[in-house]
Structure formats: structure tokens, C-alpha cells
Amino acid sequence: MGEDRRRGGIVGLLSEARRLTSIMIDLSIYSVAFGDRLAALETLMLEDDVDEIIREAVGLLSLAVRGPGHTGLAKGIVELAAAFDRASDAAGDLAQLVLRGYPPHKYVTAAAICCGEVVAALKAERPLDRLDIVDVLILRRGGRALLSPEDFSIREGDVLIVRGSLEALLEAAESLGAKPPKPPADVETLLADDTARGVARAKVLARAGFDASLYSLLAGDAGLARTVLDMEEMLDNDILSLMEDIVAQGLTGPETLTLILFLRSLEDFSDAAARAAGLVETELPGRVVEGTIGDPWESYLALDYMGERRRLSELGLDEEGLVIVAAKVGGKWIIPFLEDPEIGRGDTVLAKIYSGQADTLKELVEARGFVVKGRSLEGRP
């Protein structure tokens, strides 16, 4: 897949950089949350790939620019590549923590598997022909590791590092006969702690912000882009407050350093998102954005709600395996987190869906009161 995209010129290279960066963000969060050295090594190898891809893209761009008329386009492409580069560097920094032997902090582990998009490892206890409800980042089998495999069946003993909604992950674990990962303490008890809740909030804002920034580019949605910029400022303030809490509590030890550096990487992810969102009103043409972000491997769906006013959680989007990124309620974009906004007719939910999950859309539209904006329900989104 990667080689095909590299043959696609600058747009193909940017698409590959975006795909790998998205994988790196989640893989690095998983590695530092569970102390997985192999996942950390895989993250660092991907960082090298992204660096090489971006160098190739910038090199091609320098050959393609034909004069002052292309300056705006060139600047936009460089900025988008720089956003991917910053996010991949932050993921690499997280991976380095694991390789240096810093232990997981319970707040980081809880944030990775309790809130927003979940990342965890599942060991298959029985074979399975297909697993579409979650996205498989890494498939480990017999000493080999396959990155983002396609068209594969699962064998007993395979270890899969997956991401998706918590409900989807629990369903996948049941299908595989695997033990679902457990947080280091009861979720409700742990997240009652202000610092733990703040770390989880920071993780959700950083991860959802990255996805929201990409969709804002794809849809040309200046309102959502402004929301991403607001989120970046909000996250900066939140992280500063968390650092003050850590100092005030006198927390020390290697786990605390893991927590502090985890927060710094989240800040870098958010900065990368803001950098991408800032390109909404630039000269980047639709063909570049669509080719880079409009990828069936990881799609963003705007779901218009046509039903009666209900709480978002009551509509069961997570049960379908969709990852909720944002919601437009009363004309204003918000990032749902540990709250349950009411949505009514005309409101929009932005969700992320992975390849193989498109078959769930028909049931979703018919039974949950949503219409997929600007997408066909036939075939892949």
C-alpha cells in the first residue's frame, strides 16, 4: 500500500505520511500506557519512515514549484507536512520513554483504555475469519509483526494491537475469546480523582483534535477549524494546571516523569492539529486535501441527526464501532468528553470509521435516526 502511494507523487506521499502518523499516535500511547517495548520500537521505525516520506515530498515540491504563482500552494503543502512531522516526532518521544525503561503511570493507562478512542492488545484464543469492528494496528504472529494488515484471518495465539471505541473493543475481545484489558483501578473511582480526570481529558482533546483538524480541512469547515484552535489553547491551559497539581502533590519517581512527558507529547499532538486546522482558509486545493485525507482506510463521516432529541449516548454509535470525534449542537462544534450532550434534529455528529466498517452504516442510518452527509452507503465510504 505504501509503495503505491509513493508512486502517487506529492499527494500520495502526504497520504502515506498521514496514515502512518495516525497509527503512530495511537501505537505510542499504547506503548507508554502498557510498557510495550516492541510497540515502542515499531513506533520509532515508523517515525523514520515518516521522516523519509516528508523529505521525498518536499523534494518533489521543490521541483514542481514553477514561480511566484505557486508560492501559496507550496506553503500550504509544507505546513501540512510539518504538522504530520510534529505529531510523528511527539509519538517517537513517547516511544523513547518506554525504551529508556520508564514505567507506565496508572493515569496514562486509564486514559488509554477508558476514554475516547481506545488502544489495547488482544490475544486471540480462537481463530476468526474477519475482525472489522476495530482497526488492527499491529498483528503479531510467530515472531513477526505485520503493520496495519489487510485481508487477513486471525489464528489462535495471534496478538493484535487494536483501536476503536471501548464498546467495539469489548465486542472484539469476546469474538476472539481474548481477555479485555482492565484499567489499573475501577474506572469511576479513578476518574473521580481530579488529576486522573484531567489526564484523560487531555488525551481525548489531543486525539480528537487531530482527527477534527483533518476533517475541517476535508470539509473546508472554518468553524470546526476554529474549534480545534480553541481546543489547542484549552489543552495548553489544562496541561499547565495538571503540572501545577503534580508539583503541589509532591509526586515524584519515574512513573511521575512518564506522566509529565506524556502530557508534553499530548501538547505536541494538539499543536500539530492546530497547525493543520490553520490551513482551512489557505490555497490548498481540494484535490490535494481529498487525496491526502479522503482515504477509505480511515474515513470521517458527518452524520446528520433526524430523530427526536436524545442524549448522544442513547443513540448507540459506539456500539456500531464508530469513534465519536465531535458534535455540532445548536450550530456550535463541541468535543464530547465525560459529558453526554443532548442532540436534536439538524445537529451533526462527526465520527471516524475504518475500512471494513462501512457495512454497519445502513443499520445505523435506518435504526439510529442519522443520515450520512455526502456519502454513498454502497461499498466503502
Side-chain angles (χ1 to χ4, degrees):
M1 186 191 309
E3 292 303 318
D4 290 341
R5 288 182 178 171
R6 291 188 184 210
R7 286 194 291 268
I10 294 172
V11 173
L13 289 166
L14 288 176
S15 178
E16 184 70 354
R18 174 250 172 167
R19 183 181 80 91
L20 296 182
T21 300
S22 179
I23 291 173
M24 285 182 66
I25 291 174
D26 292 318
L27 198 58
S28 66
I29 290 173
Y30 162 78
S31 71
V32 79
F34 293 95
D36 190 321
R37 292 180 61 86
L38 285 177
L41 286 169
E42 288 154 353
T43 300
L44 290 175
M45 288 189 290
L46 290 177
E47 184 184 12
D48 289 341
D49 288 343
V50 172
D51 287 345
E52 181 184 350
I53 289 168
I54 289 175
R55 283 195 296 270
E56 290 182 27
V58 172
L60 285 178
L61 182 63
S62 66
L63 296 175
V65 173
R66 298 297 183 183
H70 291 160
T71 301
L73 171 61
K75 183 179 178 181
I77 289 175
V78 169
E79 282 292 303
L80 186 57
F84 297 149
D85 189 40
R86 180 156 192 172
S88 68
D89 286 348
D93 290 343
L94 277 183
Q96 287 285 6
L97 282 179
V98 180
L99 297 181
R100 288 177 177 269
Y102 286 97
H105 192 286
K106 63 181 181 179
Y107 293 167
V108 176
T109 307
I113 63 175
C114 297
C115 309
E117 190 167 16
V118 173
V119 190
L122 300 175
K123 183 176 181 180
E125 297 297 333
R126 54 174 172 261
L128 191 68
D129 288 337
R130 293 180 61 85
L131 184 64
D132 291 333
I133 197 168
V134 293
D135 183 50
V136 179
L137 297 176
I138 299 287
L139 171 65
R140 294 176 179 165
R141 174 182 296 164
R144 297 180 59 210
L146 302 176
L147 173 69
S148 192
E150 293 184 286
D151 299 325
F152 65 98
S153 58
I154 298 166
R155 302 174 188 172
E156 182 179 350
D158 285 350
V159 175
L160 300 90
I161 301 176
V162 302
R163 61 179 171 179
S165 69
L166 178 58
E167 290 77 5
L169 185 138
L170 294 176
E171 183 177 332
E174 183 177 357
S175 299
L176 294 167
K179 293 180 180 179
K182 294 182 179 180
D186 177 77
V187 176
E188 293 183 4
T189 301
L190 185 64
L191 294 183
D193 179 282
D194 287 341
T195 305
R197 184 182 174 92
V199 173
R201 170 186 165 92
K203 176 255 181 177
V204 170
L205 287 176
R207 190 62 183 94
F210 189 79
D211 288 320
S213 71
L214 296 180
Y215 181 79
S216 73
L217 278 177
L218 188 62
D221 192 320
L224 182 56
R226 286 191 295 271
T227 299
V228 172
L229 297 176
D230 291 342
M231 288 167 58
E232 189 266 338
E233 183 176 353
M234 184 189 311
L235 185 57
D236 285 348
N237 292 329
D238 285 355
I239 288 177
L240 180 58
S241 295
L242 286 167
M243 297 292 191
E244 292 172 345
D245 290 344
I246 291 169
V247 172
Q249 294 175 43
L251 300 178
T252 59
E255 292 92 348
T256 301
L257 184 56
T258 299
L259 175 59
I260 290 171
L261 294 177
F262 175 72
L263 292 172
R264 292 300 302 270
S265 288
L266 294 183
E267 187 174 14
D268 286 339
F269 292 148
S270 182
D271 288 345
R275 193 163 190 169
L279 296 171
V280 166
E281 296 180 346
T282 66
E283 297 180 33
L284 271 178
R287 62 181 176 78
V288 173
V289 175
E290 178 69 25
T292 302
I293 300 165
D295 187 338
W297 163 80
E298 184 181 39
S299 299
Y300 300 104
L301 301 180
L303 306 174
D304 286 341
Y305 185 58
M306 307 303 292
E308 299 296 323
R309 179 169 292 276
R310 297 178 66 181
R311 294 286 180 183
L312 183 56
S313 64
E314 296 173 355
L315 297 171
L317 296 178
D318 290 349
E319 297 170 6
E320 299 290 342
L322 276 71
V323 175
I324 298 173
V325 174
K328 193 173 187 180
V329 181
K332 181 180 178 181
W333 282 105
I334 62 172
I335 307 297
F337 170 74
L338 296 182
E339 59 179 306
D340 197 8
E342 283 191 345
I343 66 169
R345 188 178 183 86
D347 289 338
T348 300
V349 174
L350 175 61
K352 181 162 66 172
I353 185 171
Y354 294 104
S355 62
Q357 293 179 312
D359 293 341
T360 67
L361 288 181
K362 190 174 188 296
E363 178 185 352
L364 176 67
V365 169
E366 292 179 348
R368 317 267 183 189
F370 286 94
V371 173
V372 182
K373 182 185 296 184
R375 294 281 180 143
S376 168
L377 296 183
E378 300 299 326
R380 294 171 67 162

